[in-house]
Every structure is written in C-alpha cells, then in structure tokens.
Amino acid sequence: MALHQSLLDLSELAPHCQSRATARGLLAEAQDVLRNAVAHQDDEIELANWFSRLLTDIVRAPGVDADIRLTGAAARGDQLPSMPIEWMGEDSDLESVFRDVGLEVHQAAGSMAARVDAGLPLGRGGEQALLEEALSQRPPLLQRVGGLPDRGAAVDIKSMLLSPIAAIARWAAPGPHPTVDRLAIGQERGMLTAEDAETLDLAWRTGYSVEMRRWYDNVHGRESVLQDLPPLERTAYGTACRMVSATFESISQRTADGAN
C-alpha cells in the first residue's frame, strides 16, 4: 500500500531540517499525519518504518547537529510513537525537543542488543549471547480461568509480544533491519524454520496493530486488562501470545539439541 502524500512530504523535509526548533515542529506534525494514516487503516509495519526513517533523517540533519547514534526500534525501522526512542550518547537539549512533543527518549545501555540494532559489530560469541538473551524473554502463558484466557489478566504488548520477538529476530539475523525482515532473513539462514518465521511474523503484526490502535486511542500509557480490548483484538492478542510462547519453546529445544 502506497504511503499518503502527507507522509511523503514530511519525509522530504526531514533531511533538510535547519534547526532543532524546526525538528520539534516536524516531530509534532509527524504524529498528526500518523494518526490520520491509522484512521485510514494504513499498514502499521509500513508506518513504523516511515516514522523510523523520519526520526533518523531528523537526527542526522546538519541543522540538528546531534552527536548521538540511534539504536533500538528507531534504528531497526520498527519505531512507533508509543515506544521510547533509544540512542547511544548524550544530548539533553535534543531529549527536550522530543519530550516537548510527547515522545519518550531513553539513553541505551551498552548491551549487545543495542550495539546490534545500531549496526555495530557483533563480536566473537555474540550470536550465542543474543540467543540466551532472547530465550530469557520467553513470555509466560496467559493466565486461564475455566479453560479461557483470564479477562482480568494484564495486557502487556511489549513484554508478551514485541520485545521477545524482536530479541529472537535479532539473534536470527543480527543486522540493522526491521524485525519482519530479520525473521525472513533468519529463515533463509536456517536459524528459524518456516513455521517459526511465519508464526512470529503474524504475532509481530498483531502486536503492532494493537499497540498502534492503543496509541491512536490515547490509552497506550494506561494499565489495561484483556477485557478492556475489543473482542477481535482480545482474541488476536491471546492467540499471538500463545503462539509466541510455543515457538520460543520449540526454538529453545532445537538450539539445546544442536548444542549437544
């Protein structure tokens, strides 16, 4: 699906940003046009990629003069406005520019994951370290009552879906690519089976759809439980959580067998 012209117009302006004040205006406008795109049911993965490129172009613009390096979702091409923007380095003035328009900024820890997402070398033993880190994020099964997911269970899209999938995709294809591309590359490399890649891709898209909708509805910062989600989203979220947990179990067993 082609991006709306308003998104493309902002994309053209971002690399030529002349000042941090201009950057502030572009970041505010970007969120407005994103809301319009969500209202028109544009693809969430494409929108995240667009927003990530916009952030990258703004940070790299000569007029912004930022001495930081993006990592995390923004560097991968996965950034949504509801997610903290991560970078390596310090720039308190630029942080205030982002926070002025409601965007959260975190200084990234010097972790292996942050280095990989930033496009820095992995180093010896890096893939095993990424695998161990990913498997440590295996989400628990949803609580069940009477054989059905507990409607009072907390909804945590990041820890149940997005963070685990991003971590396993990072191990499967440790390069600065969007998570959906990493999953496909991981399958090509033989790190993931076709079923792994397809299942995690579907769960990732489900998580992004729910997260983007919650941002659009201005409820992304609130604690929620399953019964707060619309019925279709509730079913999709529960199914995705179950699939991710099962896939992690399969990968864990397979990689353990391969190590023996």
Side-chain angles (χ1 to χ4, degrees):
M1 181 184 296
L3 292 173
H4 190 272
Q5 188 61 44
S6 60
L7 300 172
L8 300 177
D9 290 343
L10 273 185
S11 294
E12 292 181 3
L13 294 174
H16 309 292
C17 192
Q18 296 299 312
S19 68
R20 295 191 171 193
T22 304
R24 184 182 291 108
L26 287 176
L27 291 169
E29 180 68 16
Q31 293 177 81
D32 288 340
V33 296
L34 264 181
R35 288 189 182 279
N36 290 336
V38 174
H40 287 90
Q41 299 183 329
D42 287 0
D43 182 80
E44 293 86 2
I45 303 299
E46 289 187 18
L47 293 177
N49 192 260
W50 171 84
F51 190 54
S52 301
R53 291 198 310 272
L54 185 89
L55 294 177
T56 301
D57 287 343
I58 288 175
V59 166
R60 291 177 177 173
V64 174
D65 190 29
D67 189 23
I68 56 98
R69 186 183 187 115
L70 288 171
T71 184
R76 297 193 306 264
D78 290 336
Q79 189 72 45
L80 295 180
S82 60
M83 299 174 175
I85 297 163
E86 298 180 80
W87 63 48
M88 306 171 88
E90 295 185 26
D91 192 326
S92 58
D93 180 66
L94 189 60
E95 284 186 28
S96 68
V97 169
F98 279 77
R99 289 184 174 133
D100 284 349
V101 294
L103 296 172
E104 187 177 351
V105 176
H106 285 177
Q107 186 175 349
S111 65
M112 182 77 70
R115 289 180 57 82
V116 170
D117 286 349
L120 297 173
L122 184 57
R124 180 178 296 179
E127 282 197 0
Q128 182 60 32
L130 289 176
L131 174 61
E132 292 172 1
E133 181 179 346
L135 293 179
S136 73
Q137 297 186 48
R138 177 187 174 184
L141 292 172
L142 285 177
Q143 301 171 6
R144 304 183 77 82
V145 175
L148 297 173
D150 180 6
R151 291 194 174 194
V155 171
D156 191 339
I157 298 166
K158 181 178 180 181
S159 66
M160 294 291 284
L161 293 177
L162 302 185
S163 291
I165 298 172
I168 208 72
R170 185 182 297 115
W171 158 73
H177 304 289
T179 294
V180 292
D181 291 349
R182 281 176 166 173
L183 293 172
I185 296 168
Q187 180 185 343
E188 292 174 359
R189 296 181 69 217
M191 308 295 276
L192 300 172
T193 66
E195 184 178 1
D196 292 339
E198 182 178 351
T199 297
L200 294 175
D201 181 275
L202 177 59
W204 179 262
R205 293 175 187 276
T206 297
Y208 260 62
S209 177
V210 176
E211 179 68 12
M212 185 70 98
R213 177 57 58 178
R214 286 173 59 78
W215 170 75
Y216 179 82
D217 292 335
N218 289 312
V219 297
H220 58 281
R222 304 177 192 173
E223 292 185 1
S224 300
V225 295
L226 272 180
Q227 67 181 5
D228 295 329
L229 297 179
L232 290 178
E233 283 190 4
R234 183 165 61 239
T235 299
Y237 173 77
T239 300
C241 290
R242 186 170 61 253
M243 292 192 306
V244 170
S245 185
T247 301
F248 265 62
E249 176 63 21
S250 174
I251 293 171
S252 178
Q253 291 182 357
R254 190 168 66 246
T255 53
D257 291 342
N260 294 330

